[in-house]
């Protein structure tokens, strides 16, 4: 019953053939068709812009005060594309292959190949929009390398690539707003999908300024609402990032794919105390130039700069000589945890490792710059000074950010870093056309499950968000809407809108009337603690079973003792947050259930029961080469559907970066 | 970094909604760690207020890593507080010492009406972008990205201007509530690139017209905007906007 609608034919022809035969909607009919886009990050803004350009009537929604603030903005390092501008052997096939392998063979081949194909168009489009990517002196685009690959295919704009790409998409969307093709609703949060005759036909949302519920019709609904990393409370996500839109869709019938696939990013600033509200990423691109190490001696209390070279353990270079510091994220994160658990961690909490730039500052950049300037036999001080200038240009804003947060200067002392929740590969199950199993309900970007398997490679999230929005949905949505041209807009007085709005209002009333003693935040923190300890970097059956029981208990407590101040008909951020946390609690249970079911290790999902003798993740392709798509069947009750994954081109092998 | 604890007094602007007159209220906060961020300190206070059955302070915030531009507090008379090139969310409590009193207000500008407490409506910025802050290129029209080389100096300058996060600190700092630094950053970003060249004139004229329509004031030339900009957007962008605008106005007549 799960039809992924993958086109027939050879892998590299599928998308070409699909585009050649997909149904089209003529321009006059496009004007009569309304599309709702929820979320205005890279996927949502690019989809709204592209669909508006085509002539569809688009309504876009975001909970932030401006669409430009969606969390895609915070992406630092870069965006991949198979341009092969570096002449270093890159190709569409290699990007496809690296992504499937990096995802530990749990992604859908056809989707990934399409992603690699359109990656080149994204860079062209963004440059045409005025996205100021880094350039060489000759005026052409520059690239850097990222984890899990051996070519330089990452385009970047210093440490704020996400901001520049999002501003590009935002501006393209605002242009459509000005032209009347897109209507924008900021400070609006979607709280349910409206279903009419088995199809998604609209949404109920809450105006976050005055608290009013609103009904909006659409011939199709696109969820571009990002990931759910905040289920862990502490993550690199923005404070407002949430699962609510996707979760409401799930409860209306959309299957949730691989919910347990979460990415723990290896290089984040460590937790400093109980007051911590979020974690800050230090871009993976820093691993190009920073070397990761811990002292060779346990519980070494010396300062980093006082530990001599021969007493440092560059454990990634030691364990993975081929990829060294550029192993994929899941591998780097587990290796850091392993060292800290074994007692080699650094800093006051001992839950940190060093990321040290001194070597490359001197040897890579310092010497190159000295060479350019014709300085013979430069001393170390000169090399450091010259190297610093280059590093400042490449990563200046990241170094500044680190110093603001920690009070330490990373040009002088190594950064202290530790893994943190960063991205969720799981999400709503979608077919090749990005439609969920609910007709007319689409899901794009991080919110869907499709392209990254069990582990996402660096600089691929931006690529996927923009691929889905600019170059996939404009084609695939036509295949559905072509059959909808006779459907007149359904008035929002329709019974389905009335009923759905009533259910939303009832839930809000219930929440407000609990009038308990504990704050929303305190529940969120407790949920996060359960998830991090039992469904985090390492998982086992016993822990997961305990977590499920604990979460069910937490849910009961939440619904009987949460305290939400203020009223309904006003701006009330605590009420917004309460709705989101209630959904996170339910999602947390499903994640643990999925993690328990998947009795193998793959990518970011590490089951302690399934590892090699060297402690590496051990996949089980015989039993688990499938997408776990969960159907909601009522409280704490889900049915598992499997989409078997077939690898015709990228044949699964044990992933090795040694 | 040495870490210490402190007790503080906060004087916070409270305003129930757009129609409420609003006023300051004082709150003591205790046991604040120097390692906390400023917003985490507000979180601590809000948790206390909720437990005491009071209304927490509403404020805009999202990424908490200095890039989304949501946070917008006017702290002791300065947007985003005392640190240079910084956002409120990246301000950390080691900037303060035990016993300090901190006054916190929303952005003050006619074009940014207060919605509640410290939350203001900055949608005027979106409308200024709608007036011309883009390059008109439909998806799929682009040529190869390397077909048009861009001088590195110009690309770097365009990037520096594009680093604006649209927080509105420039407006809040200006005694005329001028939005010129914001507008000029966008005009510069796009005018410096060859891709943005065809629309240079209409862009400058339309964005400035929209800015005036929104009720932002005239430039004071005092540079308060540049001094508080969290992304270090240079005031030379305003000079560039003036040149762009003059040229466009001249030609259009």
């Amino acid at each position: 019953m799960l039809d992924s609608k993958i086109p027939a034919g050879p892998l590299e022809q599928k998308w070409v053939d699909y585009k050649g035969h997909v149904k089209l909607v003529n321009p006059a009919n496009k004007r009569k068709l309304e599309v709702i886009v929820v979320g205005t990050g890279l996927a949502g803004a690019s989809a709204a812009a592209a669909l508006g350009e085509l002539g569809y009537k688009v309504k876009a929604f975001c909970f932030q005060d401006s669409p430009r603030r969606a969390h895609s903005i915070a992406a630092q390092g870069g965006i991949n594309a198979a341009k092969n501008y570096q002449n270093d052997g890159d190709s569409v096939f290699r990007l496809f292959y690296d992504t499937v392998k990096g995802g530990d063979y749990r992604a859908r081949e056809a989707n990934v190949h399409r992603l690699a194909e359109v990656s080149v168009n994204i860079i062209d489009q963004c440059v045409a929009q005025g996205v100021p990517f880094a350039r060489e002196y000759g005026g052409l685009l520059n690239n850097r390398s990222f984890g899990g690959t051996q070519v330089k295919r990452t385009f970047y704009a210093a440490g704020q690539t996400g901001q520049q790409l999002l501003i590009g998409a935002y501006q393209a969307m605002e242009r459509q707003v000005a032209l009347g093709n897109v209507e924008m609703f900021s400070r609006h949060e979607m709280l349910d999908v409206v279903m009419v005759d088995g199809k998604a036909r609209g949404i109920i949302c809450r105006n976050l300024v005055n608290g009013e519920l609103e009904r909006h019709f659409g011939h199709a609904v696109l969820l571009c609402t990002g990931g759910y990393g905040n289920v862990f409370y502490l993550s690199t996500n923005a404070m407002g990032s949430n699962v609510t839109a996707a979760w409401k869709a799930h409860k209306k019938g959309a299957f949730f794919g691989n919910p347990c696939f979460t990415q723990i990013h290896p290089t984040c600033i460590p937790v400093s105390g109980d007051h911590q509200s979020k974690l800050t990423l230090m871009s993976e691109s820093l691993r190009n130039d920073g070397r990761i190490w811990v002292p060779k001696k346990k519980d070494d209390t010396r300062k980093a700069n006082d530990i001599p070279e021969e007493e440092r353990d560059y454990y990634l270079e030691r364990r993975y000589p081929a990829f060294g510091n550029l192993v994929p994220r899941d591998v780097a994160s587990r290796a850091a945890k392993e060292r800290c658990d074994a007692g080699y961690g650094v800093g006051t909490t001992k839950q940190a490792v060093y990321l040290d730039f001194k070597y490359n500052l001197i040897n890579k950049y310092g010497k190159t710059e000295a060479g350019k300037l014709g300085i013979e036999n430069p001393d170390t001080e000169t090399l450091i000074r010259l190297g610093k200038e280059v590093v400042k240009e490449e990563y200046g804003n990241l170094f500044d950010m680190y110093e603001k947060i920690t009070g330490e200067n990373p040009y002088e002392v190594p950064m202290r870093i530790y893994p943190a929740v960063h991205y969720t590969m799981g999400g709503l199950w979608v077919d090749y056309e990005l439609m969920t199993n609910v007709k007319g309900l689409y899901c794009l970007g991080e919110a869907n499950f499709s392209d990254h398997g069990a582990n996402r490679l660096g600089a691929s999230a931006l690529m996927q968000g923009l691929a889905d929005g600019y170059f996939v949905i404009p084609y695939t949505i036509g295949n559905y809407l072509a059959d909808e041209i006779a459907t007149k807009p359904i008035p929002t007085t329709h019974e389905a809108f009335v009923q759905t709005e009533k259910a939303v209002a009832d839930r809000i009333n219930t929440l407000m009337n609990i009038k308990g003693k504990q704050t929303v935040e305190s529940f969120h923190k407790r949920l996060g603690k359960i998830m991090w300890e039992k469904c985090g970097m390492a998982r086992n059956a016993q822990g997961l079973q305990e977590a499920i029981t604990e979460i069910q208990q937490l849910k009961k407590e939440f619904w009987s003792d949460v305290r939400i101040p203020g009223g309904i008909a006003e701006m009330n951020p605590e009420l917004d947050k309460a709705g989101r946390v209630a959904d996170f609690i339910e999602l947390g249970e499903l994640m643990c259930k999925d993690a328990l079911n998947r009795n193998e290790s793959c990518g970011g999902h590490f089951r302690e029961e399934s590892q090699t003798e060297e402690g590496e993740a051990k996949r089980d392709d015989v039993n688990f080469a499938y997408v776990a798509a969960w159907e909601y069947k009522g409280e704490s009750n889900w049915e598992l559907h499997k989409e078997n994954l077939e690898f015709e081109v990228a044949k699964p092998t044990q992933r090795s970066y040694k | 970094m040495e870490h210490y604890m402190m007790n503080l007094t906060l004087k916070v602007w409270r305003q129930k909604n757009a129609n409420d007159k609003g006023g300051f209220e004082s709150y003591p906060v205790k046991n604040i760690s120097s390692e906390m961020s400023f917003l985490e300190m507000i979180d601590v206070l809000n948790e206390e207020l909720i437990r005491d059955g009071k209304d927490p302070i509403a404020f805009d915030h999202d990424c908490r890593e200095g890039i989304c531009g949501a946070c917008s507090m006017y702290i002791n008379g300065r947007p985003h507080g005392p640190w240079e090139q910084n956002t409120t969310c990246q301000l950390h409590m080691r900037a303060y010492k035990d016993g300090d009193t901190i006054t916190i207000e929303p952005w003050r500008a006619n074009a940014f009406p207060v919605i509640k407490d410290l939350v203001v409506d900055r949608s005027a910025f979106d409308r200024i972008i709608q007036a011309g802050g883009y390059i008109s290129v439909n998806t799929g029209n682009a040529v190869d990205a390397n077909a048009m080389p861009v001088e590195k100096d110009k690309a770097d300058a365009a990037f520096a201007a594009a680093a604006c996060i649209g927080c509105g600190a420039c407006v809040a700092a200006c005694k005329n509530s001028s939005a010129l630094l914001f507008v000029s950053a966008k005009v510069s970003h796009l005018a410096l690139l060859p891709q943005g060249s065809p629309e240079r004139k209409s862009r400058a004229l339309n964005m400035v017209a929209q800015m005036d329509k929104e009720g932002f004031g005239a430039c004071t030339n005092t540079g308060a905007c540049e001094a508080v900009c969290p992304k270090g957007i240079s005031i030379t962008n305003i000079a560039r906007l003036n040149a762009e605008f003059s040229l466009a106005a001249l030609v259009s007549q």
Side-chain angles (χ1 to χ4, degrees), chain A residues 516-547:
Chain A
K517 287 193 283 298
Q518 303 179 61
T519 64
V520 177
E521 199 74 3
S522 67
F523 281 106
H524 196 181
K525 276 189 183 174
R526 282 166 65 192
L527 173 67
K529 195 162 185 296
I530 300 171
M531 294 301 292
W532 179 244
E533 283 173 2
K534 296 180 173 163
C535 196
M537 258 193 286
R539 304 153 174 191
N540 61 54
Q542 194 199 334
L544 290 165
Q545 274 152 353
E546 287 167 10

mmCIF file of all heavy atoms in Angstrom, chain A residues 516-547:
data_model
loop_
_atom_site.group_PDB
_atom_site.id
_atom_site.type_symbol
_atom_site.label_atom_id
_atom_site.label_comp_id
_atom_site.label_asym_id
_atom_site.label_seq_id
_atom_site.Cartn_x
_atom_site.Cartn_y
_atom_site.Cartn_z
ATOM 1 N N GLY A 516 -2.444 24.026 36.156
ATOM 2 C CA GLY A 516 -1.655 23.233 37.098
ATOM 3 C C GLY A 516 -0.539 24.036 37.730
ATOM 4 O O GLY A 516 -0.621 25.271 37.834
ATOM 5 N N LYS A 517 0.531 23.340 38.114
ATOM 6 C CA LYS A 517 1.604 24.006 38.853
ATOM 7 C C LYS A 517 2.926 24.087 38.085
ATOM 8 O O LYS A 517 3.774 24.895 38.400
ATOM 9 C CB LYS A 517 1.840 23.287 40.189
ATOM 10 C CG LYS A 517 0.724 23.557 41.207
ATOM 11 C CD LYS A 517 1.090 23.123 42.602
ATOM 12 C CE LYS A 517 0.985 21.624 42.804
ATOM 13 N NZ LYS A 517 -0.371 21.071 42.631
ATOM 14 N N GLN A 518 3.122 23.189 37.120
ATOM 15 C CA GLN A 518 4.447 23.132 36.485
ATOM 16 C C GLN A 518 4.471 23.880 35.156
ATOM 17 O O GLN A 518 3.519 23.820 34.378
ATOM 18 C CB GLN A 518 4.844 21.669 36.263
ATOM 19 C CG GLN A 518 4.841 20.843 37.538
ATOM 20 C CD GLN A 518 5.222 19.400 37.269
ATOM 21 O OE1 GLN A 518 6.308 19.125 36.801
ATOM 22 N NE2 GLN A 518 4.324 18.483 37.557
ATOM 23 N N THR A 519 5.594 24.535 34.881
ATOM 24 C CA THR A 519 5.688 25.338 33.661
ATOM 25 C C THR A 519 5.913 24.454 32.434
ATOM 26 O O THR A 519 6.398 23.326 32.542
ATOM 27 C CB THR A 519 6.848 26.338 33.740
ATOM 28 O OG1 THR A 519 8.075 25.596 33.828
ATOM 29 C CG2 THR A 519 6.729 27.249 34.951
ATOM 30 N N VAL A 520 5.566 24.998 31.287
ATOM 31 C CA VAL A 520 5.760 24.289 30.014
ATOM 32 C C VAL A 520 7.237 23.930 29.843
ATOM 33 O O VAL A 520 7.597 22.812 29.465
ATOM 34 C CB VAL A 520 5.299 25.181 28.848
ATOM 35 C CG1 VAL A 520 5.551 24.491 27.529
ATOM 36 C CG2 VAL A 520 3.824 25.542 28.997
ATOM 37 N N GLU A 521 8.063 24.927 30.161
ATOM 38 C CA GLU A 521 9.507 24.761 29.999
ATOM 39 C C GLU A 521 10.028 23.564 30.818
ATOM 40 O O GLU A 521 10.862 22.802 30.358
ATOM 41 C CB GLU A 521 10.191 26.053 30.474
ATOM 42 C CG GLU A 521 11.601 26.261 29.984
ATOM 43 C CD GLU A 521 11.678 26.656 28.515
ATOM 44 O OE1 GLU A 521 10.632 26.822 27.859
ATOM 45 O OE2 GLU A 521 12.811 26.775 28.029
ATOM 46 N N SER A 522 9.508 23.404 32.030
ATOM 47 C CA SER A 522 10.011 22.327 32.883
ATOM 48 C C SER A 522 9.657 20.963 32.296
ATOM 49 O O SER A 522 10.443 20.025 32.378
ATOM 50 C CB SER A 522 9.466 22.479 34.310
ATOM 51 O OG SER A 522 8.075 22.258 34.335
ATOM 52 N N PHE A 523 8.485 20.856 31.657
ATOM 53 C CA PHE A 523 8.134 19.594 30.993
ATOM 54 C C PHE A 523 9.048 19.338 29.797
ATOM 55 O O PHE A 523 9.487 18.225 29.547
ATOM 56 C CB PHE A 523 6.673 19.626 30.527
ATOM 57 C CG PHE A 523 5.689 19.367 31.633
ATOM 58 C CD1 PHE A 523 4.934 20.395 32.163
ATOM 59 C CD2 PHE A 523 5.525 18.082 32.145
ATOM 60 C CE1 PHE A 523 4.032 20.155 33.191
ATOM 61 C CE2 PHE A 523 4.622 17.834 33.177
ATOM 62 C CZ PHE A 523 3.874 18.873 33.704
ATOM 63 N N HIS A 524 9.294 20.417 29.064
ATOM 64 C CA HIS A 524 10.134 20.279 27.878
ATOM 65 C C HIS A 524 11.534 19.794 28.273
ATOM 66 O O HIS A 524 12.102 18.907 27.638
ATOM 67 C CB HIS A 524 10.190 21.610 27.129
ATOM 68 C CG HIS A 524 10.705 21.494 25.734
ATOM 69 N ND1 HIS A 524 10.843 22.569 24.901
ATOM 70 C CD2 HIS A 524 11.131 20.433 25.017
ATOM 71 C CE1 HIS A 524 11.329 22.168 23.741
ATOM 72 N NE2 HIS A 524 11.526 20.873 23.771
ATOM 73 N N LYS A 525 12.059 20.380 29.346
ATOM 74 C CA LYS A 525 13.393 19.973 29.809
ATOM 75 C C LYS A 525 13.416 18.506 30.209
ATOM 76 O O LYS A 525 14.374 17.777 29.905
ATOM 77 C CB LYS A 525 13.813 20.820 31.019
ATOM 78 C CG LYS A 525 14.428 22.141 30.634
ATOM 79 C CD LYS A 525 15.026 22.866 31.842
ATOM 80 C CE LYS A 525 15.561 24.219 31.380
ATOM 81 N NZ LYS A 525 16.038 25.073 32.433
ATOM 82 N N ARG A 526 12.361 18.070 30.902
ATOM 83 C CA ARG A 526 12.331 16.676 31.344
ATOM 84 C C ARG A 526 12.229 15.720 30.148
ATOM 85 O O ARG A 526 12.865 14.670 30.117
ATOM 86 C CB ARG A 526 11.149 16.463 32.304
ATOM 87 C CG ARG A 526 11.445 16.999 33.704
ATOM 88 C CD ARG A 526 10.202 17.112 34.543
ATOM 89 N NE ARG A 526 9.596 15.806 34.812
ATOM 90 C CZ ARG A 526 8.375 15.658 35.322
ATOM 91 N NH1 ARG A 526 7.641 16.725 35.602
ATOM 92 N NH2 ARG A 526 7.891 14.465 35.564
ATOM 93 N N LEU A 527 11.425 16.104 29.168
ATOM 94 C CA LEU A 527 11.335 15.280 27.957
ATOM 95 C C LEU A 527 12.702 15.186 27.296
ATOM 96 O O LEU A 527 13.159 14.104 26.900
ATOM 97 C CB LEU A 527 10.322 15.897 26.973
ATOM 98 C CG LEU A 527 10.268 15.224 25.598
ATOM 99 C CD1 LEU A 527 9.708 13.807 25.707
ATOM 100 C CD2 LEU A 527 9.421 16.033 24.606
ATOM 101 N N GLY A 528 13.365 16.349 27.186
ATOM 102 C CA GLY A 528 14.675 16.382 26.547
ATOM 103 C C GLY A 528 15.674 15.473 27.238
ATOM 104 O O GLY A 528 16.463 14.780 26.586
ATOM 105 N N LYS A 529 15.630 15.456 28.543
ATOM 106 C CA LYS A 529 16.566 14.637 29.305
ATOM 107 C C LYS A 529 16.334 13.142 29.024
ATOM 108 O O LYS A 529 17.282 12.386 28.797
ATOM 109 C CB LYS A 529 16.390 14.930 30.798
ATOM 110 C CG LYS A 529 17.498 14.443 31.669
ATOM 111 C CD LYS A 529 17.459 15.170 33.031
ATOM 112 C CE LYS A 529 18.626 14.799 33.924
ATOM 113 N NZ LYS A 529 18.698 13.439 34.353
ATOM 114 N N ILE A 530 15.074 12.737 29.009
ATOM 115 C CA ILE A 530 14.762 11.329 28.708
ATOM 116 C C ILE A 530 15.281 10.974 27.310
ATOM 117 O O ILE A 530 15.946 9.961 27.103
ATOM 118 C CB ILE A 530 13.233 11.070 28.757
ATOM 119 C CG1 ILE A 530 12.664 11.384 30.136
ATOM 120 C CG2 ILE A 530 12.911 9.630 28.344
ATOM 121 C CD1 ILE A 530 11.134 11.364 30.205
ATOM 122 N N MET A 531 14.987 11.844 26.360
ATOM 123 C CA MET A 531 15.358 11.563 24.967
ATOM 124 C C MET A 531 16.875 11.513 24.801
ATOM 125 O O MET A 531 17.406 10.647 24.112
ATOM 126 C CB MET A 531 14.768 12.638 24.037
ATOM 127 C CG MET A 531 13.262 12.646 23.957
ATOM 128 S SD MET A 531 12.541 11.093 23.377
ATOM 129 C CE MET A 531 13.090 11.045 21.683
ATOM 130 N N TRP A 532 17.581 12.458 25.406
ATOM 131 C CA TRP A 532 19.036 12.528 25.231
ATOM 132 C C TRP A 532 19.713 11.311 25.868
ATOM 133 O O TRP A 532 20.616 10.713 25.304
ATOM 134 C CB TRP A 532 19.568 13.830 25.829
ATOM 135 C CG TRP A 532 21.052 14.009 25.743
ATOM 136 C CD1 TRP A 532 21.920 14.084 26.786
ATOM 137 C CD2 TRP A 532 21.848 14.152 24.552
ATOM 138 N NE1 TRP A 532 23.206 14.263 26.324
ATOM 139 C CE2 TRP A 532 23.193 14.306 24.962
ATOM 140 C CE3 TRP A 532 21.553 14.162 23.184
ATOM 141 C CZ2 TRP A 532 24.248 14.467 24.049
ATOM 142 C CZ3 TRP A 532 22.607 14.323 22.273
ATOM 143 C CH2 TRP A 532 23.924 14.470 22.713
ATOM 144 N N GLU A 533 19.220 10.938 27.061
ATOM 145 C CA GLU A 533 19.872 9.821 27.752
ATOM 146 C C GLU A 533 19.519 8.466 27.160
ATOM 147 O O GLU A 533 20.344 7.559 27.115
ATOM 148 C CB GLU A 533 19.495 9.858 29.244
ATOM 149 C CG GLU A 533 20.274 10.938 29.976
ATOM 150 C CD GLU A 533 19.824 11.147 31.414
ATOM 151 O OE1 GLU A 533 18.910 10.425 31.876
ATOM 152 O OE2 GLU A 533 20.384 12.046 32.068
ATOM 153 N N LYS A 534 18.303 8.315 26.669
ATOM 154 C CA LYS A 534 17.873 6.979 26.253
ATOM 155 C C LYS A 534 17.599 6.823 24.769
ATOM 156 O O LYS A 534 17.440 5.709 24.274
ATOM 157 C CB LYS A 534 16.652 6.574 27.072
ATOM 158 C CG LYS A 534 17.047 6.454 28.549
ATOM 159 C CD LYS A 534 15.954 6.076 29.474
ATOM 160 C CE LYS A 534 16.591 5.840 30.859
ATOM 161 N NZ LYS A 534 15.612 5.842 31.930
ATOM 162 N N CYS A 535 17.514 7.947 24.061
ATOM 163 C CA CYS A 535 17.302 7.848 22.611
ATOM 164 C C CYS A 535 18.258 8.807 21.900
ATOM 165 O O CYS A 535 17.952 9.392 20.895
ATOM 166 C CB CYS A 535 15.842 8.169 22.282
ATOM 167 S SG CYS A 535 15.329 7.656 20.645
ATOM 168 N N GLY A 536 19.456 8.968 22.477
ATOM 169 C CA GLY A 536 20.434 9.919 21.953
ATOM 170 C C GLY A 536 21.510 9.253 21.120
ATOM 171 O O GLY A 536 21.223 8.472 20.226
ATOM 172 N N MET A 537 22.772 9.511 21.500
ATOM 173 C CA MET A 537 23.883 9.044 20.666
ATOM 174 C C MET A 537 24.045 7.533 20.664
ATOM 175 O O MET A 537 24.572 6.961 19.728
ATOM 176 C CB MET A 537 25.184 9.689 21.139
ATOM 177 C CG MET A 537 25.584 10.832 20.247
ATOM 178 S SD MET A 537 27.262 11.372 20.552
ATOM 179 C CE MET A 537 27.099 12.236 22.077
ATOM 180 N N ALA A 538 23.625 6.891 21.754
ATOM 181 C CA ALA A 538 23.650 5.425 21.810
ATOM 182 C C ALA A 538 22.348 4.957 22.438
ATOM 183 O O ALA A 538 21.836 5.588 23.353
ATOM 184 C CB ALA A 538 24.836 4.951 22.636
ATOM 185 N N ARG A 539 21.797 3.880 21.906
ATOM 186 C CA ARG A 539 20.478 3.422 22.349
ATOM 187 C C ARG A 539 20.518 1.920 22.577
ATOM 188 O O ARG A 539 21.229 1.205 21.870
ATOM 189 C CB ARG A 539 19.451 3.737 21.244
ATOM 190 C CG ARG A 539 19.426 5.192 20.880
ATOM 191 C CD ARG A 539 18.974 5.452 19.450
ATOM 192 N NE ARG A 539 18.828 6.898 19.205
ATOM 193 C CZ ARG A 539 18.264 7.408 18.129
ATOM 194 N NH1 ARG A 539 17.799 6.637 17.174
ATOM 195 N NH2 ARG A 539 18.170 8.716 17.994
ATOM 196 N N ASN A 540 19.757 1.451 23.568
ATOM 197 C CA ASN A 540 19.596 0.006 23.712
ATOM 198 C C ASN A 540 18.163 -0.319 24.100
ATOM 199 O O ASN A 540 17.405 0.555 24.524
ATOM 200 C CB ASN A 540 20.595 -0.559 24.731
ATOM 201 C CG ASN A 540 20.396 0.036 26.110
ATOM 202 O OD1 ASN A 540 19.295 0.008 26.658
ATOM 203 N ND2 ASN A 540 21.467 0.599 26.668
ATOM 204 N N ALA A 541 17.800 -1.584 23.933
ATOM 205 C CA ALA A 541 16.401 -1.979 24.079
ATOM 206 C C ALA A 541 15.850 -1.612 25.450
ATOM 207 O O ALA A 541 14.758 -1.060 25.568
ATOM 208 C CB ALA A 541 16.258 -3.479 23.831
ATOM 209 N N GLN A 542 16.647 -1.902 26.487
ATOM 210 C CA GLN A 542 16.142 -1.643 27.826
ATOM 211 C C GLN A 542 15.861 -0.153 28.051
ATOM 212 O O GLN A 542 14.799 0.235 28.533
ATOM 213 C CB GLN A 542 17.149 -2.147 28.859
ATOM 214 C CG GLN A 542 16.560 -2.230 30.249
ATOM 215 C CD GLN A 542 17.634 -2.276 31.327
ATOM 216 O OE1 GLN A 542 18.757 -2.711 31.076
ATOM 217 N NE2 GLN A 542 17.288 -1.832 32.520
ATOM 218 N N GLY A 543 16.836 0.666 27.651
ATOM 219 C CA GLY A 543 16.679 2.107 27.821
ATOM 220 C C GLY A 543 15.479 2.646 27.055
ATOM 221 O O GLY A 543 14.731 3.490 27.553
ATOM 222 N N LEU A 544 15.295 2.140 25.858
ATOM 223 C CA LEU A 544 14.194 2.635 25.034
ATOM 224 C C LEU A 544 12.839 2.259 25.633
ATOM 225 O O LEU A 544 11.899 3.054 25.630
ATOM 226 C CB LEU A 544 14.325 2.091 23.603
ATOM 227 C CG LEU A 544 15.506 2.700 22.825
ATOM 228 C CD1 LEU A 544 15.809 1.891 21.573
ATOM 229 C CD2 LEU A 544 15.212 4.158 22.452
ATOM 230 N N GLN A 545 12.775 1.026 26.173
ATOM 231 C CA GLN A 545 11.516 0.617 26.815
ATOM 232 C C GLN A 545 11.223 1.479 28.037
ATOM 233 O O GLN A 545 10.089 1.918 28.246
ATOM 234 C CB GLN A 545 11.578 -0.866 27.209
ATOM 235 C CG GLN A 545 11.160 -1.762 26.052
ATOM 236 C CD GLN A 545 11.795 -3.140 26.097
ATOM 237 O OE1 GLN A 545 12.666 -3.415 26.928
ATOM 238 N NE2 GLN A 545 11.362 -4.007 25.207
ATOM 239 N N GLU A 546 12.274 1.756 28.802
ATOM 240 C CA GLU A 546 12.093 2.640 29.960
ATOM 241 C C GLU A 546 11.623 4.019 29.509
ATOM 242 O O GLU A 546 10.712 4.601 30.100
ATOM 243 C CB GLU A 546 13.416 2.804 30.721
ATOM 244 C CG GLU A 546 13.830 1.585 31.517
ATOM 245 C CD GLU A 546 15.298 1.677 31.978
ATOM 246 O OE1 GLU A 546 15.923 2.754 31.835
ATOM 247 O OE2 GLU A 546 15.791 0.649 32.461
ATOM 248 N N ALA A 547 12.258 4.509 28.428
ATOM 249 C CA ALA A 547 11.919 5.851 27.935
ATOM 250 C C ALA A 547 10.444 5.923 27.556
ATOM 251 O O ALA A 547 9.762 6.904 27.872
ATOM 252 C CB ALA A 547 12.802 6.215 26.748
#
